[in-house]
Amino acid sequence: MKKVLFFLVLCALPLTAAAQEETCCGKCSKENAVVHAIMTRTSIRKYQERVVAADTIEMLLRAGMAAPTAINKQPWHFAVVTNKEILKQMGGRAADAPLAILVCGDMDIAKQGHGFDYWVQDCSAATENILLAAHAMGLGAVWTGGYPGERSQKYQQLLSLPETLVPLNAIAIGYPAESPTPKDKWDAKKVTEIK
């Protein structure tokens, strides 16, 4: 029941005035809010000095956890950072944001049974859901890489995460202080039709 209610609430969210005014590919309709959000979402790297409310953060996390996952493992864990000092220490885009959500793979869950290697895909799907939900709710966000690499280890140490939680990425989130034009990434040359 909670999943159905969440889906209905998310679908009923009106796009912000800024998102509604954005143009997309011309093939989607503003009446189709999901496709419109996908086509008009863009990375936001500058944020207003405005706190993101706890209920808004919960909605973003619910969107992340609504993602598809291999074998329904749901091998994710989310670290929510609102502490300004920690955000600064994280560096990159998080340093200027009022909120960062680290999407982590939970290795205790990922290693159970089959499908270990799918944790990256599962957590990536959760990340995209959060990005789209943020855009639809009038927030701006940017996906910053972590795993594999030094940033993932830095985040793990900085946040005192156990070794079993591996930060895949950090999503910097806030109310936009910029409005870049979404890129049209359509390229027919990258499509092969098999008939």
Side-chain angles (χ1 to χ4, degrees):
M1 183 65 181
K2 284 185 182 180
K3 251 187 175 177
V4 172
L5 181 59
F6 162 72
F7 180 75
L8 292 173
V9 168
L10 187 60
C11 289
L13 286 172
L15 290 175
T16 63
Q20 288 176 357
E21 291 172 10
E22 295 173 78
T23 58
C24 62
C25 64
K27 304 233 183 232
C28 69
S29 148
K30 288 182 185 168
E31 288 78 38
N32 189 335
V34 174
V35 174
H36 188 73
I38 291 168
M39 301 306 287
T40 58
R41 190 214 65 80
T42 190
S43 294
I44 300 296
R45 295 173 173 86
K46 294 181 182 171
Y47 310 97
Q48 299 173 26
E49 290 288 329
R50 185 173 161 195
V51 172
V52 179
D55 60 337
T56 302
I57 295 170
E58 182 179 330
M59 184 63 77
L60 294 171
L61 295 170
R62 286 178 175 272
M65 292 183 202
T69 172
I71 320 169
N72 197 29
K73 275 192 173 184
Q74 304 173 36
W76 44 57
H77 187 91
F78 302 91
V80 178
V81 183
T82 56
N83 180 295
K84 284 283 192 192
E85 286 307 310
I86 294 174
L87 288 165
K88 284 185 175 135
Q89 289 175 48
M90 286 175 64
R93 299 299 170 194
D96 299 321
L99 165 66
I101 297 176
L102 274 77
V103 181
C104 303
D106 185 333
M107 296 303 108
D108 283 341
I109 296 171
K111 289 179 180 176
Q112 294 174 8
H114 295 56
F116 169 73
D117 293 331
Y118 294 122
W119 76 266
V120 171
Q121 295 174 37
D122 294 341
C123 290
S124 295
T127 300
E128 183 64 9
N129 275 13
I130 292 170
L131 292 170
L132 291 170
H135 176 61
M137 295 166 68
L139 295 163
V142 63
W143 177 333
T144 62
Y147 177 86
E150 292 176 14
R151 256 197 240 174
S152 182
Q153 295 167 353
K154 174 184 175 179
Y155 296 152
Q156 199 169 37
Q157 292 168 358
L158 179 63
L159 301 177
S160 300
L161 297 173
E163 287 183 18
T164 56
L165 296 182
V166 178
L168 177 69
N169 61 59
I171 309 169
I173 303 170
Y175 289 92
E178 63 176 350
S179 54
T181 304
K183 299 175 183 79
D184 182 357
K185 299 177 183 178
W186 169 252
D187 185 349
K189 292 181 280 200
K190 294 184 178 182
V191 178
T192 300
E193 287 190 48
I194 310 297
K195 295 182 180 183

